[in-house]
Amino acid sequence: MKKPAILLVDDDAALRELITLRLEANGFAVEAVDSAEAALARLALVRPDAVLTDMQMAGMDGMALFRAIHARDPALPVIVLTAHGSIPDAVAATQQGLFGYLTKPYDAPTL
């Protein structure tokens, strides 16, 4: 049986590794990249089951990445993980079609 595939996007190498380990331990296949630009390049080649992205990154941020993904494939679930979230930001993002909005530090079972 094929594991659900997650594309993880985060510019923090230690956090990428930690989230990758947690997701893999819970039965997901994870491919991790360090930027939104790298994620878009990867998405041109493969379609994961979901994308999990940090919000604040150098270059393109998580919401810009979501908008680019949503324009190409509105059915692909995108979840933003951020240390700088607020309820109004989460509401606005989900109204735009974002699948999920999680704050750091994240709750492991919720993730």
Side-chain angles (χ1 to χ4, degrees), residues 1 4 6-7 12 23 25 28 30-31 48 53 56-57 60 62 66 78 87 95 101:
M1 188 167 153
I6 305 292
L7 177 61
D12 181 327
L23 290 172
F28 294 93
V30 179
E31 182 171 355
T53 182
Q56 292 191 345
M57 298 179 284
M60 181 184 287
F66 160 70
V78 177
I87 292 173
Q95 287 176 337
Y101 193 93

Side-chain angles (χ1 to χ4, degrees), residues 12-26:
D12 181 327
L15 191 56
R16 257 193 337 267
E17 181 65 25
L18 177 63
I19 294 172
T20 296
L21 291 171
R22 293 231 173 167
L23 290 172
E24 288 176 344
N26 282 283

Side-chain angles (χ1 to χ4, degrees):
M1 188 167 153
K2 181 182 171 241
K3 293 180 181 182
I6 305 292
L7 177 61
L8 172 61
V9 188
D10 200 310
D11 57 354
D12 181 327
L15 191 56
R16 257 193 337 267
E17 181 65 25
L18 177 63
I19 294 172
T20 296
L21 291 171
R22 293 231 173 167
L23 290 172
E24 288 176 344
N26 282 283
F28 294 93
V30 179
E31 182 171 355
V33 296
D34 64 357
S35 70
E37 294 82 4
L40 290 174
R42 191 67 190 136
L43 288 169
L45 303 173
V46 299
R47 187 186 190 278
D49 296 298
V51 175
L52 176 61
T53 182
D54 188 19
M55 176 65 85
Q56 292 191 345
M57 298 179 284
M60 181 184 287
D61 70 11
M63 282 306 295
L65 174 60
F66 160 70
R67 286 189 289 276
I69 292 170
H70 194 67
R72 291 182 190 181
D73 187 351
L76 179 58
V78 177
I79 300 167
V80 166
L81 183 61
T82 182
H84 307 283
S86 69
I87 292 173
D89 290 343
V91 170
T94 54
Q95 287 176 337
Q96 293 177 45
L98 191 70
F99 185 81
Y101 193 93
L102 303 174
T103 57
K104 295 178 189 175
Y106 64 89
D107 177 56
T110 302
L111 177 64

